[in-house]
Amino acid sequence: MLMRYWGRKPLELIDKIMIDVHGTVIDPFGGGGTIVFSALRHDNKAIYLDINPYAWLVTFVNVVSIDPKEFEEKSKEVLENVYLESVFSLHNDYLYYPNGKFFWKRRNADRITEFFSRENFIKLFSILKSIDKVESETEVKIALYATFCSSLFTSSRMKRRNSGSWGVPSYWVPKEHEEVNAEEAFKMSVKRFSSYFRRNKGYELNVDVKLLIGNALAFNYPDQSIVFTDPPYFDEIQYMELSFFYWAWLRESNFKKVIREVLGYEPEFRISDEIIVNPNRGVTFDKYMETLKAFITKVSKVNSKYLLFHYDNDKLREKVIKIVKENWTRIKVNDFEIVKQRKIGPRGGKKYLLVSSP
């Protein structure tokens, strides 16, 4: 996969399960798109849904067919037409929720702007504005915005010395940080994206796969479809909160207008809709389980269902199984442990539950 996304499950695990899945696969908690990607690899049609526009962007470049030649030409055009902007901060980029409380994963900074040196900030903002001006196929334009996002962490003060990725799911500036020159970071991302687009044919948007931004509880699921999903687990990773790092930049551009050409509507960034435990947002464990139950109930009439759930204690496992039993018929329970998965969060659980109702 081209772009990383927090908590992504190994493709090999999903592929093993997908062998027995045939039809139109819907993943309403799509995240980085691993399930949809696997469904397509197994000759299924797929529908992706997530409330997070950044997750949608990650999935788009991972699965959609993008012309590598045009991408390379337009990337070169972006850099050739950069005009340094006199802008030194992003609008309303403070790390807090609408209720006024700071992000749970915030450590030693108050806003996104603080993660960048003035020199890199100006260069990044200028590259973003240059992307806005490029005329290209919509798929290529979206890929350019994704390339820009891919270069943000590397050119930020969050980048630890001798580290190339955002490995700690928090907002913090380490004592020893080593940001890369923004133009070089963008060039490196272009090279990596280009290589990926040349190696992978990709899939045709709205023919092989539909990519949507929306709420899993508001979606109308066809009875004859297959729901295969991995909902966000408890509180380990605050997906929307961390994605704000990218969204604060993207909303300064024409990104939303470009996405409207694909979806027919402009995406919104609504942290309040996220199904995940968060004490600063007032989302308790009971509220989380209540919302998860509402989703499980909503898809009960769907022909075939697969729920992959991450857990770190047996009591939580039994609670999930109980909710599913109350709403689905003829369920099958399997347990997996992903030994190679990197430890995320203080609990670092590697156990997974698969409840299916084929």
Side-chain angles (χ1 to χ4, degrees):
M1 303 290 273
L2 175 58
M3 291 181 74
R4 282 191 59 190
Y5 191 72
W6 304 278
R8 175 180 283 143
K9 306 304 173 289
L11 183 59
E12 309 86 71
L13 170 63
I14 306 300
D15 277 343
K16 287 180 181 178
I17 303 169
M18 198 67 70
I19 290 173
D20 299 320
V21 176
H22 307 285
T24 299
V25 176
I26 304 175
D27 183 2
F29 297 100
T34 304
I35 290 174
V36 161
F37 187 64
S38 177
L40 292 167
R41 278 160 50 100
H42 287 80
D43 298 322
N44 296 301
K45 299 291 185 180
I47 299 175
Y48 167 99
L49 180 70
D50 201 290
I51 63 170
N52 188 342
Y54 175 67
W56 182 93
L57 177 61
V58 170
T59 300
F60 190 97
V61 292
N62 278 331
V63 306
V64 172
S65 177
I66 295 170
D67 183 348
K69 184 177 180 181
E70 184 182 357
F71 172 77
E72 290 162 8
E73 291 174 352
K74 296 303 176 180
S75 298
K76 184 178 180 181
E77 186 178 321
V78 166
L79 289 172
E80 287 176 345
N81 293 288
V82 167
Y83 173 81
L84 294 182
E85 305 273 350
S86 298
V87 179
F88 307 112
S89 65
L90 300 172
H91 295 96
N92 194 24
D93 63 340
Y94 290 91
L95 305 176
Y96 61 79
Y97 306 112
N99 64 11
K101 291 187 177 182
F102 277 103
F103 283 0
W104 189 15
K105 296 295 184 177
R106 161 190 167 270
R107 293 192 189 179
N108 56 0
D110 290 336
R111 58 188 304 189
I112 300 298
T113 300
E114 293 177 23
F115 292 113
F116 301 90
S117 66
R118 173 166 287 201
E119 180 183 0
N120 263 0
F121 183 93
I122 292 173
K123 287 180 179 179
L124 287 166
F125 197 91
S126 303
I127 290 171
L128 184 61
K129 291 303 175 181
S130 184
I131 292 173
D132 283 345
K133 297 172 184 176
V134 166
E135 294 184 3
S136 67
E137 292 293 327
T138 302
E139 290 83 357
V140 170
K141 187 91 163 185
I142 293 172
L144 289 172
Y145 286 119
T147 307
F148 171 82
C149 286
S150 184
S151 67
L152 282 175
F153 178 82
T154 309
S155 53
S156 79
R157 288 177 171 143
M158 278 199 289
K159 184 185 179 301
R160 292 173 295 167
R161 188 166 295 172
N162 301 319
S163 174
S165 63
W166 191 348
V168 180
S170 296
Y171 283 104
W172 67 303
V173 178
K175 290 182 179 179
E176 293 188 358
H177 56 272
E178 190 178 51
E179 63 265 40
V180 175
N181 177 283
E183 289 184 5
E184 293 305 315
F186 184 76
K187 289 177 182 178
M188 287 189 292
S189 291
V190 167
K191 185 176 180 180
R192 186 162 51 82
F193 275 56
S194 177
S195 176
Y196 183 86
F197 297 149
R198 287 188 176 279
R199 294 194 319 269
N200 298 274
K201 66 167 187 174
Y203 298 89
E204 190 172 348
L205 190 65
N206 297 324
V207 176
D208 302 313
V209 58
K210 291 184 179 179
L211 302 179
L212 308 174
I213 300 174
N215 195 314
L217 293 176
F219 189 75
N220 292 319
Y221 299 89
D223 291 351
Q224 297 305 311
S225 61
I226 301 163
V227 171
F228 190 145
T229 195
D230 170 27
Y233 162 69
F234 198 34
D235 63 358
E236 283 185 309
I237 303 172
Q238 299 294 315
Y239 299 93
M240 292 286 283
E241 178 176 314
L242 296 173
S243 295
F244 183 68
F245 179 73
Y246 304 100
W247 183 250
W249 282 95
L250 289 172
R251 67 185 182 183
E252 298 277 352
S253 70
N254 292 334
F255 176 73
K256 292 198 292 184
K257 293 180 181 179
V258 175
I259 300 309
R260 185 171 60 193
E261 296 176 15
V262 176
L263 299 178
Y265 55 89
E266 289 191 5
E268 296 182 5
F269 193 84
R270 297 174 59 89
I271 292 182
S272 59
D273 287 347
E274 187 173 32
I275 301 176
I276 201 163
V277 172
N278 185 309
N280 288 9
R281 285 177 44 221
V283 182
T284 64
F285 176 77
D286 289 341
K287 177 63 177 177
Y288 166 80
M289 293 303 293
E290 180 184 319
T291 310
L292 181 64
K293 181 179 179 179
F295 166 72
I296 290 171
T297 302
K298 183 175 180 64
V299 300
S300 60
K301 293 183 180 180
V302 173
N303 184 49
S304 186
K305 303 167 286 289
Y306 296 81
L307 179 72
L308 186 63
F309 192 81
H310 183 195
Y311 69 96
D312 62 356
N313 65 76
D314 291 336
K315 288 185 178 180
L316 179 57
R317 176 184 180 278
E318 295 306 315
K319 281 186 178 181
V320 173
I321 292 175
K322 182 176 182 293
I323 292 174
V324 176
K325 280 184 176 179
E326 291 172 350
N327 291 277
W328 297 359
T329 58
R330 298 180 294 107
I331 71 166
K332 183 178 179 181
V333 178
N334 294 97
D335 289 284
F336 299 90
E337 184 170 357
I338 304 179
V339 179
K340 294 182 180 180
Q341 176 169 298
R342 65 185 299 175
K343 182 177 180 180
I344 298 174
R347 295 179 298 277
K350 298 183 178 182
K351 295 180 179 179
Y352 290 84
L353 166 73
L354 176 67
V355 186
S356 56
S357 178

